[in-house]
Amino acid sequence: MTKQTTILYIEDDEASQNLIQRVLGHAGYKILVANRALEGIDLAKTCQPDLILTDINLPDMSGREITIRLRSDPALTTVPIIALTAQSHSFERDKTYVAGVDGYITKPVDVSMLATQIKEYLHGRRDEVDTTTLEYARRAYSQELVERLEANVRELEASNRELRRMDQIKDDFIQLTAHELRTPLTTVYGYSRLVQGMPAIQRLMAQDLEVEACLTGLMDSIERLQAVVNEIITVSRIASGRISLKPGPTDLDDVIKRSVEGYAQVLQQRDLKLVYDLVGCPTQLYADKALLELACSNILGNAIKYTPDGGSITLRAEMQPEQVQISIQDTGIGIDPNDQKYIFERFYTAGDTQLHSTSKTAFRGGGLGLGLAICRGIVEAHGGKISVKSEGRDEERLPGSTFIIVLPLSSNVSGQTLEFR
Ligand code: ADP
C-alpha cells in the first residue's frame, strides 16, 4: 500500500482551513492543519509532509519567515512550500519568493484548479521568477525583517521590565506579610508561655491531661508558625541581599553535631539510623556558625522527611585540598532528575503536595519549598557550592539522595559583616 501524500496547511482562518481540507481531502490528500506559525514549524519537522501550504499573515510569524526557517532544516530543503494568500500585489509576491517559496497561489482559490496545481508542485513544478525585480524586494524584505526584530526586542525588554517589577512587588508583599505576622505571633507566643507557667494552669494541667494536651498542641502550632514565618523572612533577605554574615572561627564537627541535636527524638521515634563518617574532622573554618548550622539542619531535616521509617542517614565530612566536602546521604524516595534542577529555587516543592503531611519531620512532611533555597544562599555566601545526586524518585525502590556541600577552607569570608549576593 502506498503512503498517502501529506500536505501541511498553516492557516489561522477557519473558513480557509475548511475549504482546503474539503477540496484537497476530496482529491485524496491527507491534510494536517496548524493554526499558528510555530505550531506549523513543529509539525513540519515531526511529520515531514510532502508539501507545505502556508498563509502569509499569521498571528505569530509570517509565512515568509516560516519558509526561511523550514528551508534551514536539511530534511525540509526540498519540500515544496507554496504560499496561499490574499496578498496579490506583485511586490508582496516578490518578497515571498525572496523568502524561498516554490509557488504562489492567490485567494480566492479557484477550487476547480487547486488540486491540479498542487499535483504539479508535488511533481516538481516551480514558479518562474524574474530575478531582476527580486533585488529591490530582497532589500525591502531585509529591512522589514530587521524592523520587526527591533520591535520584538523592544517589546520583550518592556515585558521583562514589567515582569521584574511584578516579581519585586510579590517579593515585597511576601516579606511584608511575614514581618506583619511575626510581631503578633511573638506576642501570642509570649502570652501563651506566661499562661502555661501560671501556677493555676500548672495545677489544672496536672489534674486534667486534656488541658495539658491542648496547651502543648497550642505551643507546638505557634512554634511551627514561627518557624515558617522565619523561613520566609530569611529567604526574602537572601533573595534581596539584605542578610548579613557574621563569620568567625568555626569548628565544622561542632556545626554538624549541633545541627543533629534538634532531631534526636524524631530519629528515635521513626527508627532512623544516623551514621557519622567524619574523616579528619574537626576542621576549622572561617564561617558564620549559626547560618552554616541552619543549612546543615535543613538538609538533615529533608533527609528525615523523605526517608521512610527504618532507613538510614549518613553524614560525611571529608577534607580535600583547599576545601572540605560535607555530604548528607539518605535511603529515601530520591529526587527526579527533572526536579533536581529546580529544588534549590524558592517555593519549589517536588512531588505531590497533596501528600504532604502537616508535620515537619513525618515521612513526606511538607514545607514551603524554602529550605534548600536558604541552604544555597548560605553556602554560596561562604564561597561554596551545593549540589544533589539521586538516581531518581522511586517510593518503592528507595534510591535515596545525597546532598553535597563544598566549602573552601580559605574562603573569601572576611572578618567584616558580609552581604549575601
Ligand atoms: P520543603 O520545605 O518542601 O522540603 P525544600 O526546599 O527543603 O522544601 O526542598 C524542596 C523539595 O526538594 C522538596 O519539596 C522535596 O520534594 C525535595 N527534596 C529535598 N530534599 C529531599 C530528599 N532528601 N529526598 C527527597 N526529596 C527531597
Side-chain angles (χ1 to χ4, degrees):
M1 204 176 73
T2 52
K3 183 180 155 279
Q4 195 179 12
T5 305
T6 305
I7 295 174
L8 168 62
Y9 184 33
I10 310 173
E11 167 68 83
D12 59 327
D13 176 58
E14 211 180 313
S16 301
Q17 290 175 0
N18 291 339
L19 178 71
I20 297 303
Q21 273 179 311
R22 219 179 41 245
V23 176
L24 296 183
H26 188 70
Y29 298 113
K30 179 179 168 189
I31 313 294
L32 303 173
V33 175
N35 286 293
R36 297 174 73 85
L38 292 179
E39 187 191 341
I41 291 172
D42 290 344
L43 258 181
K45 288 180 173 183
T46 48
C47 304
Q48 302 281 319
D50 299 290
L51 181 142
I52 298 165
L53 267 180
T54 180
D55 184 22
I56 296 296
N57 283 327
L58 287 154
D60 43 353
M61 274 163 71
S62 86
R64 298 184 188 108
E65 280 129 49
I66 295 176
T67 307
I68 294 176
R69 182 68 192 90
L70 294 183
R71 285 288 181 242
S72 69
D73 184 329
L76 295 166
T77 41
T78 57
V79 174
I81 303 179
I82 317 299
L84 186 59
T85 172
Q87 295 181 354
S88 55
H89 196 283
S90 62
F91 182 55
E92 298 301 326
R93 183 187 295 250
D94 284 350
K95 282 196 296 185
T96 313
Y97 283 127
V98 162
V101 295
D102 300 298
Y104 198 91
I105 302 174
T106 46
K107 290 182 194 167
V109 170
D110 181 345
V111 287
S112 63
M113 291 293 295
L114 185 67
T116 315
Q117 286 172 300
I118 294 299
K119 192 173 172 191
E120 286 172 3
Y121 284 119
L122 279 164
H123 286 92
R125 168 179 157 185
R126 299 295 178 258
D127 287 5
E128 275 182 28
V129 186
D130 177 2
T131 47
T132 52
T133 62
L134 286 194
E135 194 44 43
Y136 178 64
R138 181 166 292 133
R139 257 184 284 129
Y141 182 47
S142 308
Q143 181 94 19
E144 193 184 300
L145 270 183
V146 173
E147 278 167 15
R148 196 125 31 91
L149 182 67
E150 182 190 339
N152 284 348
V153 170
R154 285 185 192 282
E155 201 179 307
L156 274 179
E157 275 182 354
S159 320
N160 205 13
R161 272 196 299 276
E162 185 56 14
L163 280 175
R164 281 178 200 276
R165 197 179 67 83
M166 302 290 284
D167 197 41
Q168 188 59 48
I169 291 176
K170 181 209 73 196
D171 280 353
D172 291 349
F173 171 75
I174 292 172
Q175 199 172 4
L176 216 70
T177 312
H179 276 288
E180 286 299 316
L181 283 173
R182 185 154 75 168
T183 316
L185 208 53
T186 311
T187 315
V188 170
Y189 180 80
Y191 280 130
S192 306
R193 269 246 174 275
L194 271 180
V195 169
Q196 213 180 16
M198 285 173 180
I201 300 293
Q202 291 278 320
R203 277 197 297 279
L204 209 58
M205 285 195 328
Q207 285 163 14
D208 191 338
L209 288 181
E210 221 172 305
V211 174
E212 204 220 331
C214 285
L215 276 170
T216 311
L218 185 71
M219 289 311 292
D220 283 353
S221 298
I222 296 170
E223 280 171 16
R224 178 90 206 271
L225 209 52
Q226 277 183 320
V228 169
V229 168
N230 285 339
E231 248 188 6
I232 295 176
I233 291 174
T234 309
V235 88
S236 301
R237 282 181 174 163
I238 288 175
S240 59
R242 284 199 292 259
I243 202 167
S244 300
L245 276 191
K246 295 183 185 66
T250 302
D251 180 8
L252 184 61
D253 189 41
D254 199 33
V255 168
I256 292 176
K257 296 253 162 74
R258 283 170 64 101
S259 64
V260 172
E261 265 167 24
Y263 297 113
Q265 199 182 349
V266 67
L267 286 167
Q268 198 182 18
Q269 278 165 1
R270 297 207 26 229
D271 189 23
L272 291 167
K273 195 162 85 176
L274 198 60
V275 182
Y276 290 96
D277 185 0
L278 309 178
V279 185
C281 273
T283 305
Q284 285 294 320
L285 292 175
Y286 197 69
D288 186 316
K289 197 171 177 175
L291 286 178
L292 214 52
E293 198 180 302
L294 176 63
C296 291
S297 164
N298 279 352
I299 297 177
L300 189 62
N302 278 344
I304 291 170
K305 274 194 278 182
Y306 300 104
T307 303
D309 295 8
S312 73
I313 298 161
T314 307
L315 276 164
R316 278 194 192 91
E318 198 183 315
M319 286 290 294
Q320 293 177 345
E322 310 286 310
Q323 60 186 26
V324 60
Q325 178 174 299
I326 307 162
S327 63
I328 299 171
Q329 182 178 15
D330 62 54
T331 57
I333 57 177
I335 306 170
D336 191 280
N338 290 327
D339 289 323
Q340 290 174 25
K341 289 181 268 192
Y342 304 112
I343 52 171
F344 296 101
E345 283 174 18
R346 286 180 293 161
F347 300 108
Y348 189 84
T349 52
D352 189 352
T353 43
Q354 304 277 343
L355 296 173
H356 279 191
S357 85
T358 50
S359 158
K360 269 231 128 184
T361 45
F363 178 46
R364 284 194 301 222
L368 285 181
L370 294 178
L372 290 176
I374 291 175
C375 292
R376 184 172 70 176
I378 293 171
V379 171
E380 288 181 354
H382 283 86
K385 282 209 163 63
I386 184 166
S387 57
V388 64
K389 274 190 196 155
S390 176
E391 274 175 36
R393 185 185 171 105
D394 190 330
E395 301 204 12
E396 310 256 294
R397 217 167 42 79
L398 302 173
S401 311
T402 306
F403 282 83
I404 300 163
I405 296 175
V406 177
L407 291 172
L409 285 178
S410 54
S411 108
N412 52 5
V413 179
S414 71
Q416 281 90 51
T417 296
L418 290 184
E419 295 275 288
F420 273 93
R421 294 281 153 228

